[in-house]
Amino acid sequence: IDVLKMDIEGAEYAVLEKILASPVTIDQLIIEFHDRSFDPKVPKSKEIVRKLTENGYSIFGCSVSFEEISFIHQRKLKALG
């Protein structure tokens, strides 16, 4: 998959966990995080961003609110030279 954009109202955390556990490869992820829908003392996006980073993704853009974050996988960056 070249680009996957997600705005799935809080389900992004479970979906991302499944993506990371699967053999599917995605070059770019554009995700709208919905931490505001959960307990503010437990920022779910912080943990999933850590896991994405550990799995080769880097942030390359974000919205002013930091709710929309764009990631690119290192393999794509290497392919681009």
Side-chain angles (χ1 to χ4, degrees), residues 11-12 17-18 20 23 39 46 58-59 69-70 72 77:
E12 61 273 11
E17 291 280 357
K18 289 183 185 277
L20 291 174
D39 181 354
K46 184 175 180 179
S58 298
I59 294 172
I69 302 178
S70 300
I72 190 165
L77 291 175

Side-chain angles (χ1 to χ4, degrees), residues 29-46:
L29 294 165
I30 303 167
I31 306 162
E32 181 174 331
F33 288 105
H34 293 85
D35 278 328
R36 64 188 177 276
S37 302
F38 300 94
D39 181 354
K41 295 176 188 167
V42 183
K44 295 182 86 159
S45 59
K46 184 175 180 179

Side-chain angles (χ1 to χ4, degrees), residues 9-20:
E9 307 307 317
E12 61 273 11
Y13 307 101
V15 171
L16 287 167
E17 291 280 357
K18 289 183 185 277
I19 287 170
L20 291 174

Side-chain angles (χ1 to χ4, degrees), residues 14 16 25 29 33 43 49 62 64-65 80-81:
L16 287 167
T25 59
L29 294 165
F33 288 105
V49 168
C62 67
V64 174
S65 68
L80 293 173

Side-chain angles (χ1 to χ4, degrees), residues 2-3 26-31 52-53 55-61 69-80:
D2 292 324
V3 178
I26 303 171
D27 293 336
Q28 295 180 54
L29 294 165
I30 303 167
I31 306 162
L52 287 166
T53 302
N55 282 275
Y57 288 94
S58 298
I59 294 172
F60 73 88
I69 302 178
S70 300
F71 299 86
I72 190 165
H73 199 277
Q74 293 301 313
R75 76 178 155 271
K76 184 63 174 181
L77 291 175
K78 287 178 186 175
L80 293 173

